[in-house]
Amino acid sequence: MRRELAEDLTARSLVLSVPLLDRCGVPDHVRALTSAHVVAVEADLVGRLAVRAAEPAVDIDPLARTRLAVTAGGTGLDACQIAAVTALPGDRSLVVVEGVAGAGKTTTLAATRDLLTGQGQRLVVVTPTLKAAKAAAVEIGAHAGSAAWLAHQHGWRWTADGTWTRLAAGDSDPVTGRDYTGPAPAARLTAGDLLVVDEAGMLDQDTARALLTVADENATRVAFLGDRHQLASVGRGGVLDLAARWADPTACVSLDVAHRFTRPTQTADGATVDVPDVEYAAMASAMRTGRDVADVFDACTAAGRSGCTPATRSGRPRSRASRTAWPANGTVPCPARRGERRGRRAATRSSSPVTG
């Protein structure tokens, strides 16, 4: 009975699936099937990004661009950050800003907020998680919320199995049981506003589609910020890749200088001050790309920034403190996977649709 049930479910699933590879003989271990819904969501997402990228943009005139650069430069921004600050307040419907960890994306957004405020426009920041949104609100000084919150405010609803629907004004809300009356004032977007999706590499396609739909309806410009080499989306991701692929090349800015890493040093008069750690910033950038791994490890080891824990034949570390936290099966814990699990749990908890 179980075998027949499994075969029946498999057959039904195959009928409802869409092949990704148009050929026969695909090995069983290759994931070559998807659903029509997944294909439709990505096609709609790509279409909206392509339309935005093709829209004519009125670049800031040279004199205004010079004033912006001088204003931004006075805040201590580097050349890449100034390029981003001059691109974000412009008229482009789609902007992509990528940068390594510690490249100053938050500082860039704070400067952008000041410029937009001077132009009578508003900066709205959303992030995949509520925790990141709260940090952005404090550090940037702009209104910020989770991406799920903004989508929920504009009528989008979703179930545990990934079914998305949208309420119209007057519809009964299945979450609250009351009639849906539209977004709260803080969630309303207007023409000329800039909607910034921070940590966009973690954004899933369904939420991105909802955000772009809302932005299109309100003639709101959109900017994606993030790093494709950091933690990926919990669901179907690749949103930042799609945005970077379809955006106009002149609307894509890369922040390549890491400012977060410093090291203490002594001045001539004996005082201790923190200065930029250029060497470690370069190593961090190299680790981010995943290229020349052996050379990067050797460089970290030579600089005393990495080390190996001595282990016995069973694979367990020798120290008592390490043995306490070591898995019973003797396997080596993978920080990336452990961090990914934490990130997934955080994203699940922090993306509650009824919270900001």
Side-chain angles (χ1 to χ4, degrees):
M1 179 64 71
R2 292 182 178 178
R3 184 183 186 90
E4 292 177 357
L5 178 60
E7 292 176 349
D8 181 64
L9 291 176
T10 301
R12 291 172 182 267
S13 299
L14 289 174
V15 170
L16 297 175
S17 297
V18 177
L20 296 175
L21 299 177
D22 188 16
R23 64 184 178 86
C24 299
V26 179
D28 292 339
H29 68 277
V30 177
R31 301 171 65 180
L33 295 176
T34 186
S35 68
H37 171 73
V38 171
V39 174
V41 169
E42 184 164 331
D44 185 55
L45 189 59
V46 168
R48 293 180 184 277
L49 291 172
V51 168
R52 284 180 167 271
E55 290 178 357
V58 180
D59 289 331
I60 302 176
D61 63 83
L63 181 59
R65 183 177 292 276
T66 300
R67 288 199 300 268
L68 286 174
V70 171
T71 302
T75 63
L77 303 180
D78 62 34
C80 295
Q81 291 173 310
I82 292 175
V85 172
T86 54
L88 289 169
D91 291 332
R92 294 191 178 275
S93 297
L94 178 62
V95 179
V96 176
V97 178
E98 293 189 81
V100 301
K105 293 188 287 292
T106 300
T107 304
T108 300
L109 286 181
T112 301
R113 178 215 59 208
D114 293 339
L115 294 176
L116 287 172
T117 301
Q119 298 175 11
Q121 297 172 324
R122 190 172 63 133
L123 174 67
V124 179
V125 180
V126 295
T127 66
T129 65
L130 179 57
K131 181 179 180 180
K134 290 180 177 179
V138 174
E139 296 171 357
I140 300 172
H143 177 75
S146 69
W149 169 80
L150 185 61
H152 187 272
Q153 284 289 317
H154 285 267
W156 293 95
R157 300 293 184 269
W158 52 93
T159 61
D161 61 359
T163 301
W164 281 65
T165 56
R166 192 177 187 188
L167 301 175
D171 289 346
S172 177
D173 191 336
V175 176
T176 63
R178 299 188 295 268
D179 289 345
Y180 171 68
T181 58
R188 292 172 186 165
L189 301 176
T190 60
D193 288 347
L194 175 62
L195 175 62
V196 171
V197 183
D198 198 8
E199 303 294 347
M202 295 176 59
L203 191 67
D204 66 273
Q205 291 191 9
D206 289 304
T207 306
R209 181 195 193 189
L211 294 180
L212 283 176
T213 300
V214 172
D216 289 345
E217 293 170 349
N218 295 278
T220 300
R221 298 183 299 111
V222 177
F224 290 94
L225 273 71
D227 183 1
R228 284 178 278 178
H229 297 281
Q230 292 186 9
L231 188 65
S233 168
V234 175
R236 300 188 315 279
V239 175
L240 189 56
D241 293 88
L242 293 174
R245 182 186 309 168
W246 287 99
D248 189 294
T250 59
C252 297
V253 182
S254 179
L255 305 180
D256 299 325
V257 181
H259 300 273
R260 180 179 300 169
F261 309 112
T262 60
R263 59 180 177 83
T265 186
Q266 284 193 334
T267 61
D269 57 0
T272 301
V273 296
D274 288 334
V275 297
D277 194 337
V278 179
E279 180 183 355
Y280 185 73
M283 285 192 290
S285 298
M287 286 187 285
R288 168 179 173 265
T289 61
R291 296 191 297 266
D292 302 325
V293 177
D295 293 340
V296 173
F297 180 79
D298 291 341
C300 289
T301 303
R305 298 183 181 273
S306 66
C308 298
T309 301
T312 63
R313 291 183 179 180
S314 64
R316 301 189 180 190
R318 297 180 183 277
S319 67
R320 178 176 301 177
S322 300
R323 284 200 303 270
T324 303
W326 206 254
N329 59 6
T331 57
V332 179
C334 176
R337 292 180 182 174
R338 192 166 60 243
E340 182 178 353
R341 289 195 295 269
R342 285 197 298 265
R344 290 173 185 266
R345 290 196 297 269
T348 302
R349 290 194 302 268
S350 303
S351 296
S352 174
V354 295
T355 59

